[in-house]
Amino acid sequence: MDKITSEIMGAKKIAIAGHIRPDGDCIGSCTALSLYLNQIKKEFKLDQIDVYLENFGNEYDILSHTKEIKHSYETDESYDLFISLDCGSMDRLGNSRKFFDSAQKTINIDHHISNSKFADINHVVPTASSTCEVLYSIMDDELISKEIAEALYLGIIHDTGVFKHSNTSEYTMQVAGRLISKGINFSVLIDETFYAKTYMQNQILGRCLMESILVLNKKVAVASMNRKMLDFYGASSGDLDGIIDQLRVTKGAEVAVFIYEIQFHEFRVSLRSNGAINVNKIAVYFGGGGHIKAAGCTMNGTVHDVINNLTPHIEAQLKELNLLY
Ligand code: AMP
Ligand code: MN
Ligand code: MN
């Protein structure tokens, strides 16, 4: 932490960014850190704090400050310090990679077990529920405003599935309690950013579940969406949140797989485990990563190619654990 503070103290221009196709933890952590740095800006003599993230759904506009986030990368700005949040590897920085490359110093704050420690200073806590939880642990509680608390809380609820995933620890709940004490409207944050669905999102969820299949002796639930379907609904990646969570709770399933086509014959793969199977290991094999029970990667080919390439890896682990037959 001392190293992080001294780098922040020594910088005038800071860029903050997270991973491609940002999720709640990514948006929450970038917003929270930016608000926090703005608060200590004068004392630390910071001139400029910019946040870069890819486009995301308007449900996150509930956080103050998301309007300030930059979605265009067409600038020649270069920064003294680049802070990467919730991002396990350099390639997942997407377009903000150029700010990482040109920065004098880089910091990586994250909680992915697969994190490749790609920055000058790496603060990676795989036992933490979320990057927001890691951020809380390095922030001064007294300086956390209601707005910062909202952003941190949002990240925690998204990565823990509203405190239900096993990454939720006693400390997670203590942090959540502290954040609630700042006067945040947690019910609205949870409903509007996590549970609320548009009609289109509900239709997609229904369709994916209806067309889902069980393979490997019903131990694996698989659903997919091709480009044509996504275009038909006018859906983007944020519209697909929640599908994998519903697949995972299929009775008897050890693993849930959800794949969708990001471009022709290129699929984004989401994997979830109910505990026995290490899906991070599988995602890492295919060039991705994540956590033991929630991981992702990108794979090429048709839907069937992807499923056929993926299942032997799940099968091997199921067999090893005598879970298959
Ligand atoms: P997702 O299925 O996209 O929600 O991802 C599950 C978890 O794995 C999240 O914590 C992601 O940040 C992480 N993850 C997904 N894809 C990758 C990847 N290619 N490399 C590293 N981590 C990933
Ligand atoms: Mn994330
Ligand atoms: Mn996260």
PDB file of all heavy atoms in Angstrom, residues 19 23 89 92 112 114 268 270-272 287-291 294-297, ligand 1:
ATOM      1  N   HIS A  19     -11.146  -3.881 -17.349  1.00  0.00           N
ATOM      2  CA  HIS A  19     -11.128  -4.854 -18.451  1.00  0.00           C
ATOM      3  C   HIS A  19     -12.186  -4.568 -19.527  1.00  0.00           C
ATOM      4  O   HIS A  19     -13.135  -3.824 -19.299  1.00  0.00           O
ATOM      5  CB  HIS A  19     -11.256  -6.288 -17.926  1.00  0.00           C
ATOM      6  CG  HIS A  19     -12.519  -6.589 -17.168  1.00  0.00           C
ATOM      7  ND1 HIS A  19     -13.733  -6.755 -17.787  1.00  0.00           N
ATOM      8  CD2 HIS A  19     -12.755  -6.767 -15.852  1.00  0.00           C
ATOM      9  CE1 HIS A  19     -14.649  -7.043 -16.883  1.00  0.00           C
ATOM     10  NE2 HIS A  19     -14.081  -7.046 -15.685  1.00  0.00           N
ATOM     11  N   ASP A  23     -17.810  -5.110 -16.309  1.00  0.00           N
ATOM     12  CA  ASP A  23     -18.925  -5.576 -15.484  1.00  0.00           C
ATOM     13  C   ASP A  23     -19.060  -4.658 -14.262  1.00  0.00           C
ATOM     14  O   ASP A  23     -18.353  -3.657 -14.148  1.00  0.00           O
ATOM     15  CB  ASP A  23     -18.688  -7.038 -15.065  1.00  0.00           C
ATOM     16  CG  ASP A  23     -17.344  -7.225 -14.361  1.00  0.00           C
ATOM     17  OD1 ASP A  23     -16.731  -6.212 -13.932  1.00  0.00           O
ATOM     18  OD2 ASP A  23     -16.897  -8.373 -14.231  1.00  0.00           O
ATOM     19  N   SER A  89      -5.096  -9.567 -17.034  1.00  0.00           N
ATOM     20  CA  SER A  89      -3.949  -9.617 -17.942  1.00  0.00           C
ATOM     21  C   SER A  89      -3.961  -8.404 -18.863  1.00  0.00           C
ATOM     22  O   SER A  89      -4.995  -7.767 -19.057  1.00  0.00           O
ATOM     23  CB  SER A  89      -3.978 -10.902 -18.774  1.00  0.00           C
ATOM     24  OG  SER A  89      -5.210 -10.982 -19.475  1.00  0.00           O
ATOM     25  N   ARG A  92      -6.478  -7.912 -21.719  1.00  0.00           N
ATOM     26  CA  ARG A  92      -7.856  -7.582 -21.355  1.00  0.00           C
ATOM     27  C   ARG A  92      -8.061  -6.084 -21.125  1.00  0.00           C
ATOM     28  O   ARG A  92      -9.178  -5.648 -20.875  1.00  0.00           O
ATOM     29  CB  ARG A  92      -8.276  -8.370 -20.106  1.00  0.00           C
ATOM     30  CG  ARG A  92      -8.237  -9.890 -20.309  1.00  0.00           C
ATOM     31  CD  ARG A  92      -9.576 -10.548 -20.278  1.00  0.00           C
ATOM     32  NE  ARG A  92     -10.314 -10.306 -19.068  1.00  0.00           N
ATOM     33  CZ  ARG A  92     -11.649 -10.347 -19.020  1.00  0.00           C
ATOM     34  NH1 ARG A  92     -12.350 -10.584 -20.105  1.00  0.00           N
ATOM     35  NH2 ARG A  92     -12.279 -10.144 -17.872  1.00  0.00           N
ATOM     36  N   HIS A 112      -8.149 -11.520  -9.442  1.00  0.00           N
ATOM     37  CA  HIS A 112      -8.210 -12.755 -10.233  1.00  0.00           C
ATOM     38  C   HIS A 112      -7.036 -13.674  -9.897  1.00  0.00           C
ATOM     39  O   HIS A 112      -5.892 -13.234  -9.898  1.00  0.00           O
ATOM     40  CB  HIS A 112      -8.189 -12.435 -11.734  1.00  0.00           C
ATOM     41  CG  HIS A 112      -9.449 -11.786 -12.208  1.00  0.00           C
ATOM     42  ND1 HIS A 112      -9.577 -10.426 -12.352  1.00  0.00           N
ATOM     43  CD2 HIS A 112     -10.649 -12.315 -12.531  1.00  0.00           C
ATOM     44  CE1 HIS A 112     -10.802 -10.141 -12.756  1.00  0.00           C
ATOM     45  NE2 HIS A 112     -11.475 -11.263 -12.872  1.00  0.00           N
ATOM     46  N   SER A 114      -5.820 -15.804 -11.716  1.00  0.00           N
ATOM     47  CA  SER A 114      -4.995 -15.959 -12.918  1.00  0.00           C
ATOM     48  C   SER A 114      -4.199 -14.700 -13.241  1.00  0.00           C
ATOM     49  O   SER A 114      -3.531 -14.642 -14.271  1.00  0.00           O
ATOM     50  CB  SER A 114      -5.909 -16.283 -14.105  1.00  0.00           C
ATOM     51  OG  SER A 114      -6.841 -15.232 -14.299  1.00  0.00           O
ATOM     52  N   ARG A 268     -17.198 -15.839 -27.040  1.00  0.00           N
ATOM     53  CA  ARG A 268     -16.839 -15.482 -25.678  1.00  0.00           C
ATOM     54  C   ARG A 268     -17.413 -16.594 -24.800  1.00  0.00           C
ATOM     55  O   ARG A 268     -18.591 -16.963 -24.931  1.00  0.00           O
ATOM     56  CB  ARG A 268     -17.473 -14.128 -25.429  1.00  0.00           C
ATOM     57  CG  ARG A 268     -17.506 -13.555 -24.112  1.00  0.00           C
ATOM     58  CD  ARG A 268     -16.198 -12.980 -23.708  1.00  0.00           C
ATOM     59  NE  ARG A 268     -16.154 -13.347 -22.291  1.00  0.00           N
ATOM     60  CZ  ARG A 268     -15.093 -13.705 -21.656  1.00  0.00           C
ATOM     61  NH1 ARG A 268     -13.929 -13.708 -22.217  1.00  0.00           N
ATOM     62  NH2 ARG A 268     -15.160 -14.050 -20.402  1.00  0.00           N
ATOM     63  N   SER A 270     -18.165 -18.217 -21.045  1.00  0.00           N
ATOM     64  CA  SER A 270     -18.278 -18.024 -19.595  1.00  0.00           C
ATOM     65  C   SER A 270     -18.431 -19.384 -18.943  1.00  0.00           C
ATOM     66  O   SER A 270     -19.251 -20.197 -19.389  1.00  0.00           O
ATOM     67  CB  SER A 270     -19.517 -17.200 -19.245  1.00  0.00           C
ATOM     68  OG  SER A 270     -19.281 -15.847 -19.446  1.00  0.00           O
ATOM     69  N   LEU A 271     -17.679 -19.614 -17.886  1.00  0.00           N
ATOM     70  CA  LEU A 271     -17.731 -20.890 -17.184  1.00  0.00           C
ATOM     71  C   LEU A 271     -18.027 -20.668 -15.702  1.00  0.00           C
ATOM     72  O   LEU A 271     -17.481 -19.735 -15.097  1.00  0.00           O
ATOM     73  CB  LEU A 271     -16.375 -21.614 -17.306  1.00  0.00           C
ATOM     74  CG  LEU A 271     -15.877 -21.917 -18.714  1.00  0.00           C
ATOM     75  CD1 LEU A 271     -14.392 -22.262 -18.698  1.00  0.00           C
ATOM     76  CD2 LEU A 271     -16.681 -23.054 -19.310  1.00  0.00           C
ATOM     77  N   ARG A 272     -18.898 -21.498 -15.141  1.00  0.00           N
ATOM     78  CA  ARG A 272     -19.174 -21.432 -13.701  1.00  0.00           C
ATOM     79  C   ARG A 272     -19.142 -22.846 -13.144  1.00  0.00           C
ATOM     80  O   ARG A 272     -19.599 -23.787 -13.804  1.00  0.00           O
ATOM     81  CB  ARG A 272     -20.565 -20.838 -13.417  1.00  0.00           C
ATOM     82  CG  ARG A 272     -20.745 -19.401 -13.838  1.00  0.00           C
ATOM     83  CD  ARG A 272     -19.921 -18.427 -13.015  1.00  0.00           C
ATOM     84  NE  ARG A 272     -20.180 -17.061 -13.411  1.00  0.00           N
ATOM     85  CZ  ARG A 272     -19.533 -16.420 -14.392  1.00  0.00           C
ATOM     86  NH1 ARG A 272     -18.590 -17.033 -15.070  1.00  0.00           N
ATOM     87  NH2 ARG A 272     -19.832 -15.170 -14.681  1.00  0.00           N
ATOM     88  N   GLY A 287      -6.398 -19.800 -22.938  1.00  0.00           N
ATOM     89  CA  GLY A 287      -5.870 -18.434 -23.035  1.00  0.00           C
ATOM     90  C   GLY A 287      -6.625 -17.399 -22.230  1.00  0.00           C
ATOM     91  O   GLY A 287      -6.354 -16.205 -22.351  1.00  0.00           O
ATOM     92  N   GLY A 288      -7.579 -17.835 -21.406  1.00  0.00           N
ATOM     93  CA  GLY A 288      -8.336 -16.892 -20.571  1.00  0.00           C
ATOM     94  C   GLY A 288      -7.943 -17.034 -19.120  1.00  0.00           C
ATOM     95  O   GLY A 288      -6.785 -17.313 -18.810  1.00  0.00           O
ATOM     96  N   GLY A 289      -8.909 -16.873 -18.233  1.00  0.00           N
ATOM     97  CA  GLY A 289      -8.618 -16.991 -16.805  1.00  0.00           C
ATOM     98  C   GLY A 289      -9.806 -16.592 -15.981  1.00  0.00           C
ATOM     99  O   GLY A 289     -10.926 -16.611 -16.463  1.00  0.00           O
ATOM    100  N   GLY A 290      -9.550 -16.228 -14.737  1.00  0.00           N
ATOM    101  CA  GLY A 290     -10.637 -15.824 -13.839  1.00  0.00           C
ATOM    102  C   GLY A 290     -10.407 -16.345 -12.451  1.00  0.00           C
ATOM    103  O   GLY A 290      -9.348 -16.143 -11.877  1.00  0.00           O
ATOM    104  N   HIS A 291     -11.417 -17.046 -11.931  1.00  0.00           N
ATOM    105  CA  HIS A 291     -11.371 -17.592 -10.576  1.00  0.00           C
ATOM    106  C   HIS A 291     -11.684 -19.091 -10.665  1.00  0.00           C
ATOM    107  O   HIS A 291     -12.143 -19.562 -11.695  1.00  0.00           O
ATOM    108  CB  HIS A 291     -12.401 -16.920  -9.681  1.00  0.00           C
ATOM    109  CG  HIS A 291     -12.437 -15.425  -9.834  1.00  0.00           C
ATOM    110  ND1 HIS A 291     -11.568 -14.594  -9.178  1.00  0.00           N
ATOM    111  CD2 HIS A 291     -13.215 -14.621 -10.593  1.00  0.00           C
ATOM    112  CE1 HIS A 291     -11.818 -13.340  -9.516  1.00  0.00           C
ATOM    113  NE2 HIS A 291     -12.812 -13.328 -10.386  1.00  0.00           N
ATOM    114  N   ALA A 294     -15.455 -19.251 -11.312  1.00  0.00           N
ATOM    115  CA  ALA A 294     -16.018 -18.370 -12.360  1.00  0.00           C
ATOM    116  C   ALA A 294     -14.876 -17.903 -13.247  1.00  0.00           C
ATOM    117  O   ALA A 294     -13.963 -17.223 -12.782  1.00  0.00           O
ATOM    118  CB  ALA A 294     -16.709 -17.166 -11.737  1.00  0.00           C
ATOM    119  N   ALA A 295     -14.932 -18.317 -14.506  1.00  0.00           N
ATOM    120  CA  ALA A 295     -13.817 -17.948 -15.382  1.00  0.00           C
ATOM    121  C   ALA A 295     -14.316 -17.777 -16.802  1.00  0.00           C
ATOM    122  O   ALA A 295     -15.474 -18.085 -17.111  1.00  0.00           O
ATOM    123  CB  ALA A 295     -12.734 -19.021 -15.314  1.00  0.00           C
ATOM    124  N   GLY A 296     -13.460 -17.277 -17.657  1.00  0.00           N
ATOM    125  CA  GLY A 296     -13.866 -17.056 -19.036  1.00  0.00           C
ATOM    126  C   GLY A 296     -12.690 -17.082 -19.991  1.00  0.00           C
ATOM    127  O   GLY A 296     -11.531 -17.000 -19.587  1.00  0.00           O
ATOM    128  N   CYS A 297     -13.014 -17.219 -21.274  1.00  0.00           N
ATOM    129  CA  CYS A 297     -11.985 -17.202 -22.306  1.00  0.00           C
ATOM    130  C   CYS A 297     -12.658 -16.927 -23.649  1.00  0.00           C
ATOM    131  O   CYS A 297     -13.885 -16.797 -23.721  1.00  0.00           O
ATOM    132  CB  CYS A 297     -11.227 -18.531 -22.354  1.00  0.00           C
ATOM    133  SG  CYS A 297     -12.272 -19.962 -22.641  1.00  0.00           S
TER     134      CYS A 297
HETATM  135  P1  AMP B   1     -17.467 -13.829 -17.060  1.00  0.00           P
HETATM  136  O1  AMP B   1     -17.909 -15.206 -17.379  1.00  0.00           O
HETATM  137  O2  AMP B   1     -17.166 -13.015 -18.262  1.00  0.00           O
HETATM  138  O3  AMP B   1     -18.389 -13.139 -16.089  1.00  0.00           O
HETATM  139  O4  AMP B   1     -16.078 -13.997 -16.317  1.00  0.00           O
HETATM  140  C1  AMP B   1     -15.946 -14.723 -15.134  1.00  0.00           C
HETATM  141  C2  AMP B   1     -14.735 -14.260 -14.373  1.00  0.00           C
HETATM  142  O5  AMP B   1     -13.559 -14.600 -15.092  1.00  0.00           O
HETATM  143  C3  AMP B   1     -14.686 -12.754 -14.182  1.00  0.00           C
HETATM  144  O6  AMP B   1     -14.097 -12.476 -12.947  1.00  0.00           O
HETATM  145  C4  AMP B   1     -13.830 -12.282 -15.318  1.00  0.00           C
HETATM  146  O7  AMP B   1     -13.203 -11.068 -15.023  1.00  0.00           O
HETATM  147  C5  AMP B   1     -12.866 -13.430 -15.475  1.00  0.00           C
HETATM  148  N1  AMP B   1     -12.446 -13.596 -16.861  1.00  0.00           N
HETATM  149  C6  AMP B   1     -13.263 -13.762 -17.905  1.00  0.00           C
HETATM  150  N2  AMP B   1     -12.562 -13.888 -19.044  1.00  0.00           N
HETATM  151  C7  AMP B   1     -11.266 -13.796 -18.706  1.00  0.00           C
HETATM  152  C8  AMP B   1     -10.050 -13.828 -19.441  1.00  0.00           C
HETATM  153  N3  AMP B   1     -10.024 -13.991 -20.763  1.00  0.00           N
HETATM  154  N4  AMP B   1      -8.903 -13.679 -18.759  1.00  0.00           N
HETATM  155  C9  AMP B   1      -8.919 -13.512 -17.420  1.00  0.00           C
HETATM  156  N5  AMP B   1     -10.031 -13.475 -16.681  1.00  0.00           N
HETATM  157  C10 AMP B   1     -11.191 -13.610 -17.303  1.00  0.00           C
END
